[in-house]
Amino acid sequence: MFNNMKQLDTELLVGYIDNLGVDVVRQMLALYIEQSQIYLDDIAETVENENQSGWQEACHKMKGAAGSVGLSVVHQQLVQVEKSTDEWPRKREYLALLKHENQLSIITFETWLDSQ
């Protein structure tokens, strides 16, 4: 069992497992993986088009999804950048970091779930 998993809200996830079972939590993760790719594509599109309102909307959607499946680092990152008015090159950097953290968090979640 992992003791210090800052990437995951394990208290939330244990509650899900206790109430819904591991199989349902696996389904939740699978849905998040699908949806997060759509959200990341949407965020990338807002950067390409330099669309500030679209940026906020797309980040907000992904923030909610990440929070609901216990991906703490991804959620916190989105809290920090959602309302950012930084220049677009900086937002490209945020997007790259977000993609990286999202992938790490998914792997961490999968590993944690396998240990349950």
Side-chain angles (χ1 to χ4, degrees), residues 64-106:
S68 70
V69 294
L71 299 187
S72 304
V73 172
V74 173
H75 179 264
Q76 193 54 44
Q77 230 177 359
L78 286 156
V79 165
Q80 292 173 5
V81 303
E82 174 183 0
K83 299 199 189 295
S84 169
T85 56
D86 290 342
E87 298 295 320
W88 293 103
R90 185 77 175 124
K91 287 182 180 166
R92 272 188 189 76
E93 294 172 14
Y94 295 155
L95 176 59
L97 183 59
L98 183 59
K99 286 179 178 179
H100 176 74
E101 285 298 336
N102 192 59
Q103 194 56 42
L104 282 178
S105 294
I106 288 169

Side-chain angles (χ1 to χ4, degrees), residues 6-57:
K6 68 177 183 122
Q7 286 184 306
L8 301 179
D9 181 346
T10 51
E11 192 174 312
L12 175 73
L13 297 175
V14 166
Y16 284 163
I17 288 172
D18 289 348
N19 290 307
L20 305 170
V22 173
D23 290 340
V24 172
V25 175
R26 282 189 199 285
Q27 291 171 6
M28 288 171 55
L29 176 59
L31 179 61
Y32 173 80
I33 292 168
E34 284 178 34
Q35 288 299 118
S36 69
Q37 188 55 58
I38 294 167
Y39 297 141
L40 289 167
D41 290 345
D42 288 349
I43 294 169
E45 187 177 321
T46 70
V47 172
E48 274 311 301
N49 297 328
E50 298 187 358
N51 177 347
Q52 180 63 32
S53 63
W55 167 270
Q56 288 181 359
E57 183 180 323

